[in-house]
Amino acid sequence: MIRKVMAEVDVKLGIRQTLQKIEETYNKRLALSNAPKPLLIAVSKTKPVDLILNAYSVGQRDFGENYVQELVEKANDARILEHCQDIRWHFIGHLQSNKINKVINLPNLHMIQTVHSIKLAEGLNKAWEKVKAENAEKKQQLNVLVQINTSGEDEKNGVQPEDAVGLFRYVLDKCPNLNCEGVMTIGRFGHDYTTGPNPDFGTLMKCQQDICSTFERDPAELQVSMGMSDDFVQAIEAGSTIVRVGSSIFGARAKKPTDA
């Protein structure tokens, strides 16, 4: 019981502290940008449902999951369905085409942040068309972000920066069931900020600018998802509108589960 109370206090405090940092950083940025106030995605991967309920109880609504099977289990959890009816799930991990149907049929799915290829975009578009036909509650487009590999690392997914406009154009022109809200990156871990700004953040902002110029979009209306626990403040300073924070809220991450 003591351990459970401690967890409740830590999660709620983590949410409040993170939101306060977002607010403070955003207020400083206002003088330089008209981008919207950043949205906090609480990354709950490997964390138990109890901690999600704790975060939800203090107003957190957007949660991110990396692993398909874990998201399936949590989105269908009886306690989540009963007590978190306004929850919004964001899938932020690598999505394989053969697992699309497992994800898009989930209750309260809000966004797929990791559309990294034309093949995946095409698969999501076709699958969502079927979902809309079968489910009267899902008549809106599926929200997605284009994932960009800003660091050039082989183990990271995403299109190359020079291909960002092309993938965005494909979704816009060929995927009527998808609503492409912006861009996303994971980036290289552990940037040393004493050496200067994070180049991954600069690259993603350049991709956003290229897309806005090409399609005559207002930059304030095109989402930029970048920044995690260690660097979300710097990401907001660079222009991020969505930050994905896990360990600062939920504590150190457990060992990766086996996805299926």
Side-chain angles (χ1 to χ4, degrees):
M1 179 60 69
I2 293 176
R3 203 173 277 179
K4 183 175 180 180
V5 172
M6 288 289 288
E8 288 178 1
V9 172
D10 288 343
V11 169
K12 293 175 182 178
L13 180 62
I15 290 286
R16 293 189 182 107
Q17 289 179 334
T18 302
L19 288 174
Q20 183 177 356
K21 288 181 181 179
I22 290 174
E23 184 77 29
E24 292 172 350
T25 309
Y26 173 65
N27 287 336
K28 292 177 183 177
R29 192 184 72 182
L30 275 177
L32 303 174
S33 170
N34 67 337
K37 182 178 177 179
L39 174 69
L40 170 62
I41 306 297
V43 180
S44 48
K45 62 178 179 180
T46 77
K47 299 302 178 181
V49 167
D50 283 343
L51 299 190
I52 296 174
L53 294 174
N54 292 343
Y56 189 93
S57 72
V58 291
Q60 181 62 28
R61 293 294 180 266
D62 293 271
F63 292 82
E65 290 287 337
N66 286 62
Y67 310 123
V68 171
Q69 189 56 39
E70 188 176 1
L71 176 57
V72 169
E73 292 170 1
K74 288 177 177 176
N76 286 300
D77 184 271
R79 290 173 295 169
I80 294 288
L81 292 172
E82 180 181 357
H83 300 292
C84 306
Q85 295 183 9
D86 295 326
I87 198 169
R88 293 185 290 265
W89 293 110
H90 297 246
F91 188 74
I92 59 174
H94 177 53
L95 182 59
Q96 297 172 308
S97 295
N98 62 353
K99 294 181 181 178
I100 287 175
N101 287 330
K102 283 189 174 184
V103 174
I104 63 168
N105 286 290
L106 294 175
N108 297 308
L109 176 67
H110 181 69
M111 179 180 284
I112 305 292
Q113 291 205 14
T114 48
V115 175
H116 59 273
S117 67
I118 286 177
K119 178 183 177 181
L120 181 58
E122 189 174 52
L124 285 168
N125 183 64
K126 289 181 179 178
W128 195 252
E129 184 174 17
K130 185 177 180 181
V131 166
K132 288 199 302 180
E134 297 175 349
N135 191 332
E137 295 180 357
K138 294 189 175 183
K139 291 300 184 183
Q140 303 299 319
Q141 292 172 302
L142 174 64
N143 299 317
V144 300
L145 298 179
V146 166
Q147 183 179 9
I148 299 167
N149 186 346
T150 56
S151 62
E153 298 170 275
D154 292 339
E155 63 271 25
K156 297 284 171 60
N157 294 298
V159 295
Q160 295 303 306
E162 59 269 24
D163 297 323
V165 169
L167 181 52
F168 191 94
R169 185 189 302 279
Y170 183 86
V171 176
L172 199 64
D173 293 346
K174 305 294 184 180
C175 301
N177 300 300
L178 304 184
N179 173 35
C180 195
E181 291 199 351
V183 292
M184 176 266 203
T185 193
I186 294 175
R188 190 181 301 273
F189 298 125
H191 175 71
D192 181 1
Y193 284 93
T194 64
T195 65
N198 190 325
D200 288 311
F201 295 165
T203 297
L204 194 64
M205 293 307 301
K206 176 63 165 54
C207 291
Q208 187 227 28
Q209 292 163 10
D210 290 345
I211 290 171
C212 289
S213 297
T214 302
F215 300 101
E216 298 182 346
R217 295 289 184 88
D218 182 351
E221 297 177 356
L222 197 73
Q223 300 278 13
V224 179
S225 177
M226 63 185 187
M228 294 178 277
S229 287
D230 291 340
D231 57 11
F232 72 89
V233 168
Q234 291 89 346
I236 294 171
E237 291 172 344
S240 179
T241 65
I242 300 175
V243 294
R244 311 181 303 272
V245 181
S247 58
S248 292
I249 294 170
F250 296 108
R253 191 178 309 138
K255 185 178 180 181
K256 175 182 176 179
T258 300
D259 200 3

